[in-house]
Amino acid sequence: MTSGSSYHHGDLRSALIEAATIIIEDSGIDALSLRKLAEVTGVSRTAPYHHFKDKNALLSAIAAKGFDDWHASARAIFEQEDVTPATRFRRFIHQYVNYAANHPQVYELMFGRTLWHNDQATAQLKDIAYPCFQYQLTMTRTWQSSGLLPEDQDALRLAQVTWSTLHGIARLLIDGIYADESHISEMCDCAAEVFIRSAGLK
């Protein structure tokens, strides 16, 4: 990691988030501290506190970056007008589950108890996460109008059910319960097929 003196004004925060993400992905959340982060990035011990008041704020920033990345990937797939809605739907399912499998620690921060159970999520995280939930609802309505999901179901409840299905697959993979990485592709294809057939398509 480059020494702190080489950072331009304004990009130290991004560098700290990137370094902190690497730490938790390599060693878990418990291995992360603001002091360790300062050592890894080559800045003074007080420098991280100029951007994050405590570890919780840092973890929230990592989760917020995860939601940003998720939203960007979802939009990129959802707006692929050169492929059919069904193909986009399947690609979205694969992308979601693979992201969780490849970034389990960040995924845990995004959706787990660490930040959300006792209202530890910062306002900044909520401002990014909630629009992502809303975007899932937008996609769900489009998939309903395309005949990929049942049109006779409430869009909000259907969005919750489809998301929770993908979240359940992700949790099985992350926790290593009854599933592993070799099952990802077939599980995603199966989930897509179940949802599409529930809308009456063969």
Side-chain angles (χ1 to χ4, degrees):
M1 182 66 67
T2 308
S3 66
S5 61
S6 68
Y7 291 118
H8 297 292
H9 177 71
D11 65 2
L12 176 56
R13 186 178 190 278
S14 296
L16 291 170
I17 293 173
E18 179 183 355
T21 301
I22 293 172
I23 291 172
I24 68 169
E25 288 188 334
D26 288 345
S27 306
I29 294 173
D30 291 341
L32 178 64
S33 68
L34 291 175
R35 180 174 179 176
K36 180 178 181 61
L37 183 59
E39 293 175 356
V40 169
T41 54
V43 299
S44 69
R45 291 182 180 180
T46 60
Y49 289 94
H50 294 309
H51 301 276
F52 313 102
K53 70 175 184 177
D54 53 26
K55 181 177 178 178
N56 184 76
L58 174 59
L59 294 177
S60 288
I62 295 171
K65 177 64 165 55
F67 276 110
D68 264 342
D69 292 342
W70 176 89
H71 197 182
S73 296
R75 286 183 66 91
I77 293 171
F78 188 60
E79 296 174 1
Q80 289 176 336
E81 297 183 357
D82 59 328
V83 297
T84 65
T87 297
R88 282 178 266 173
F89 181 60
R90 289 186 172 92
R91 286 179 180 176
F92 170 77
I93 290 175
H94 278 264
Q95 187 277 333
Y96 183 100
V97 175
N98 275 283
Y99 179 86
N102 293 330
H103 305 281
Q105 298 291 348
V106 175
Y107 185 87
E108 174 63 27
L109 284 178
M110 291 168 65
F111 297 106
R113 295 167 57 88
T114 300
L115 295 175
W116 295 103
H117 181 60
N118 292 316
D119 198 27
Q120 296 298 307
T122 62
Q124 180 213 20
L125 173 55
K126 292 177 182 178
D127 287 344
I128 293 175
Y130 291 160
C132 288
F133 301 148
Q134 187 63 37
Y135 193 67
Q136 178 75 14
L137 180 57
T138 297
M139 291 191 294
T140 297
R141 287 179 174 139
T142 299
W143 291 328
Q144 284 182 291
S145 65
S146 299
L148 298 171
L149 293 174
E151 291 188 78
D152 61 346
Q153 297 297 313
D154 177 77
L156 175 58
R157 295 294 171 255
L158 192 54
Q160 291 171 324
V161 168
T162 53
W163 196 323
S164 62
T165 298
L166 302 186
H167 181 68
I169 295 172
R171 290 302 328 179
L172 287 176
L173 292 166
I174 290 172
D175 295 338
I177 301 174
Y178 201 59
D180 60 44
E181 291 188 5
S182 67
H183 303 151
I184 291 177
S185 183
E186 290 184 358
M187 292 175 74
C188 289
D189 288 339
C190 180
E193 191 67 19
V194 167
F195 281 122
I196 291 173
R197 290 197 181 195
S198 73
L201 298 184
K202 303 299 181 181

